[in-house]
Amino acid sequence: QAGATVLDGLNADVKIPKATSASSAGWVSSEGGNTSESEMVFSSITLSPKTAGVFTEVTGQMMAQGTGAGAIGIENIIRNDILSSTTLLVDSSATGGTGSSGQPTGLNGTTGVNSESLATANTLTFADAVNMESLCLADNAVFGNAGYLLTSTQVGLAKQTVKESGQASYVMEDGFINGHRVYISNNTGPAGTAYFSVDWSQLIVAYFGAGPSLLVDPYTGSASGTVRIRVIMYADIGVRVPQAFCKASA
């Protein structure tokens, strides 16, 4: 929703190039003199598959309690549930992924992402918002698809927090903070962290393979008639320009 770049159907590790410093022009001291040499410096981020998944076991009795379309309906409900939970896990890892225990590294753990300290948990003041934007601009991050990413709790407080004492104007009004759209999600991390970006497209979500791999296994628990339904998804998270982002927490 915020505009992250999504790469689908990857079948190998991917390197995304990025510039770490620009070339530097200079004045020529005399007529006919030579310009000096200066080159951009490049690096890259590597995206490689991380495995997310879950399985659920369904008893034969549960499957038998519905007949015909009823039994198929139970299986579809479970399929949709485990597909949704796996997708939400990848979504939350885009911000809160730790980079350890098989997790991708999300925004919160990426080196170079700017940081703002909040005086009160989940409460973004107007000064906090301006500071978050200023930190990104001080790093010469280029404006693109800018916006805030807040939880519903943070949004509720931003709508009640005045910009300045005695004035009837609030930090968040009509879905915007300081002219930038606010995106709402309770599937971010870590808890209590708000995010701003001058360009959300610099956040990359990569999916490997043909999509979620769903398997219905009637054999593992065949002695009791139990059916195992399993989903696996391969994904990774990358941040091409960390300086385009700022996180804020108490």
Side-chain angles (χ1 to χ4, degrees), residues 20-44:
T20 56
S21 66
S23 59
S24 179
W27 295 103
V28 177
S29 59
S30 59
E31 182 179 352
N34 295 327
T35 58
S36 58
E37 180 181 2
S38 179
E39 297 171 350
M40 292 181 70
V41 178
F42 290 92
S43 66
S44 62

Side-chain angles (χ1 to χ4, degrees), residues 126 161-169:
F126 190 68
T161 303
V162 295
K163 289 183 178 180
E164 187 175 342
S165 179
Q167 293 189 1
S169 59

Side-chain angles (χ1 to χ4, degrees), residues 116-120 122-132 148 154 157-158 161-164 170-172 177-178 248:
E116 170 75 5
S117 295
L118 303 181
T120 305
N122 289 310
T123 303
L124 198 69
T125 67
F126 190 68
D128 291 326
V130 172
N131 287 343
M132 292 174 77
Y148 289 85
Q154 292 163 350
L157 290 169
T161 303
V162 295
K163 289 183 178 180
E164 187 175 342
Y170 298 88
V171 173
M172 179 176 171
I177 293 177
N178 199 28

